[in-house]
């Protein structure tokens, strides 16, 4: 959850349209897949995947990664253009199921300060 929270920070290198889509998502809008790695040319072993926001591009290729590899050049160009242009129907972001708990972007320093304060409150209330 912390990685996803910092991804939704002002400092994160994410297109505002993709961030907006993520901030409206729930954990049920995510999926574990290899599609993003395949389209980016990363050849991870089959047991490794990542959780991303589901979208039409992911839906088209999830479970058809071998076919995606055959179309990698064309699809990689589409993916790169979508990342640059912020098209959330093609480009997506790695996001954990905790995305549903995040409704706004914040400065990373504020996120960290809140995390520390919440942790201190929890520890202060714990039985020693």
């Amino acid at each position: 959850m912390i990685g996803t929270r910092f991804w939704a920070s002002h400092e994160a290198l994410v297109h505002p349209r993709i961030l907006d889509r993520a901030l409206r998502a729930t954990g049920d809008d995510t999926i574990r897949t290899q599609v993003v790695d395949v389209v980016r040319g990363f050849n991870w072993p089959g047991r490794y995947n990542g959780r991303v926001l589901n979208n039409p591009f992911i839906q088209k290729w999830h479970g058809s990664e071998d076919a995606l590899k055959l179309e990698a050049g064309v699809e990689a160009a589409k993916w790169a253009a979508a990342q640059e242009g912020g098209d959330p129907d093609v480009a997506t972001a790695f996001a954990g199921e905790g995305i549903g708990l995040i409704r706004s972007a914040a400065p990373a320093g504020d996120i960290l300060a809140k995390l520390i304060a919440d942790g201190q409150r929890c520890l202060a209330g714990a039985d020693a």
Side-chain angles (χ1 to χ4, degrees):
M1 291 174 65
I2 290 174
T4 299
R5 184 61 191 112
F6 279 105
W7 173 85
S9 70
H10 292 173
E11 294 83 357
L13 302 177
V14 57
H15 194 283
R17 288 177 52 206
I18 295 171
L19 177 61
D20 181 60
R21 173 78 57 93
L23 294 176
R24 292 184 282 119
T26 71
D28 291 336
D29 296 321
T30 67
I31 185 172
R32 293 199 70 83
T33 187
Q34 290 186 318
V35 170
V36 176
D37 287 330
V38 170
V39 78
R40 295 183 311 162
F42 297 136
N43 190 21
W44 292 95
R47 67 181 180 267
Y48 297 111
N49 57 40
R51 184 169 293 280
V52 300
L53 293 175
N54 205 349
N55 67 16
F57 184 86
I58 298 296
Q59 291 171 8
K60 175 181 178 181
W61 293 109
H62 180 70
S64 299
E65 287 83 354
D66 288 338
L68 176 57
K69 289 175 185 177
L70 297 174
E71 301 292 327
V74 170
E75 297 302 317
K78 285 182 196 175
W79 173 266
Q83 284 286 17
E84 182 71 25
D87 180 355
D89 289 332
V90 176
T92 192
F94 286 96
E97 291 176 295
I99 193 66
L101 301 173
I102 302 168
R103 291 293 167 242
S104 64
D110 291 355
I111 295 168
L112 183 58
K114 183 175 181 341
L115 180 65
I116 291 168
D118 289 350
Q120 288 173 331
R121 257 190 310 280
C122 288
L123 290 173
D127 292 331

